[in-house]
Amino acid sequence: MANNMLRIESLEAAVPGLKELRPEGPRQVDIESIDRLLGIRLPSDYREFILAYPAIELDEFLRVYAPVPGLEEGFVEEIHEELEILGDLYESGDDLSGGYAPYPAEGGLLPWGASLSGDTFFWKVATGDGDRWPVVVGGRNGDWWEFDGGVIAFLVGLIDGTIERHGLPRDVPSATPRVHVFAD
C-alpha cells in the first residue's frame, strides 16, 4: 500500500458507532465487474470499504459512494454521468474543473464521494496502481487541492484534524461525526 493508505479499522476507530452499523458479513459487491466496467482496478482501501459498508454520510455533509450488490452496472453508469459533467466543465475552459480532465485521461479524475454542499471528492488516476492515486477535492468555492493518500486516510484526516481543509468547512465532518449508513 502507499505510504498514506489506511485500513477500514482506522475509519471505524475515528467514527464513533460506525463499526456497530457494519452489516453482518462481507457485502456481496462484484468489485471485479466494477473494475472491468471502469477499465481500472479500484484502490484497495476503497475496495475494503465497499465490501464492509454501503454508502455512508458523515455529519449530514460528506457522502462516500458505494454500489448496491447486484446493481454494480448502475453504479458505474452514475460515475460516468459525473464524469460527463466534469468533462463539460473541463472543455468549457472556465476553470470550474480546476484544470483537471475526467478519467480516462491520464491523470484524470474519478469520483468517489461528494458533500451535500457541492464539493466533490475524486481520485487522480495517474498510474495503474490505485493505491498510489491521490485524493483530489473539487471545492464548491473553486478550491481544488490534492491529498497524497487514500480515501480512508483522507476521511480520518478530516475527522482527526491532521489534514488542512482548504475551503471545506472547519466543523464538518466533526471530530465525533454522526454517521448514517444507507441500506442496500
Side-chain angles (χ1 to χ4, degrees):
M1 285 189 195
N3 292 345
N4 213 353
M5 189 73 61
L6 298 178
R7 308 263 332 210
I8 195 73
E9 292 83 9
S10 298
L11 184 61
E12 290 171 338
V15 179
L18 178 61
K19 188 172 184 174
E20 290 75 23
L21 299 172
R22 186 186 244 195
E24 293 288 324
R27 297 174 69 241
Q28 300 303 307
V29 174
D30 185 353
I31 297 175
E32 303 309 320
S33 172
I34 294 169
D35 287 350
R36 192 173 45 260
L37 291 166
L38 289 172
I40 51 168
R41 181 174 169 84
L42 293 170
S44 60
D45 67 332
Y46 183 71
R47 296 168 76 84
E48 187 179 16
F49 174 85
I50 64 177
L51 288 175
Y53 291 100
I56 66 168
E57 189 175 281
L58 300 173
D59 279 343
E60 298 177 353
F61 171 72
L62 194 156
R63 187 171 292 174
V64 180
Y65 306 147
V68 173
L71 299 177
E72 291 84 358
E73 194 169 314
F75 176 74
V76 172
E77 287 173 13
E78 290 175 14
I79 289 173
H80 281 295
E81 288 171 13
E82 289 194 41
L83 291 172
E84 284 181 37
I85 293 167
L86 180 63
D88 291 344
L89 294 173
Y90 177 74
E91 290 174 12
S92 74
D94 62 9
D95 208 35
L96 291 175
S97 71
Y100 291 96
Y103 172 78
E106 179 64 23
L109 301 185
L110 184 66
W112 59 262
S115 80
L116 301 184
S117 298
D119 309 288
T120 308
F121 306 97
F122 304 93
W123 291 288
K124 181 179 178 184
V125 183
T127 69
D129 180 2
D131 288 349
R132 301 185 64 76
W133 300 342
V135 165
V136 175
V137 178
R140 65 189 170 284
N141 298 321
D143 298 303
W144 286 83
W145 53 283
E146 293 186 25
F147 169 75
D148 189 25
V151 170
I152 293 175
F154 176 78
L155 295 171
V156 170
L158 283 180
I159 292 164
D160 70 14
T162 57
I163 64 172
E164 179 64 39
R165 290 174 177 253
H166 302 288
L168 294 175
R170 296 199 182 284
D171 57 343
V172 287
S174 67
T176 55
R178 292 177 321 279
V179 64
H180 175 76
V181 174
F182 293 87
D184 284 333

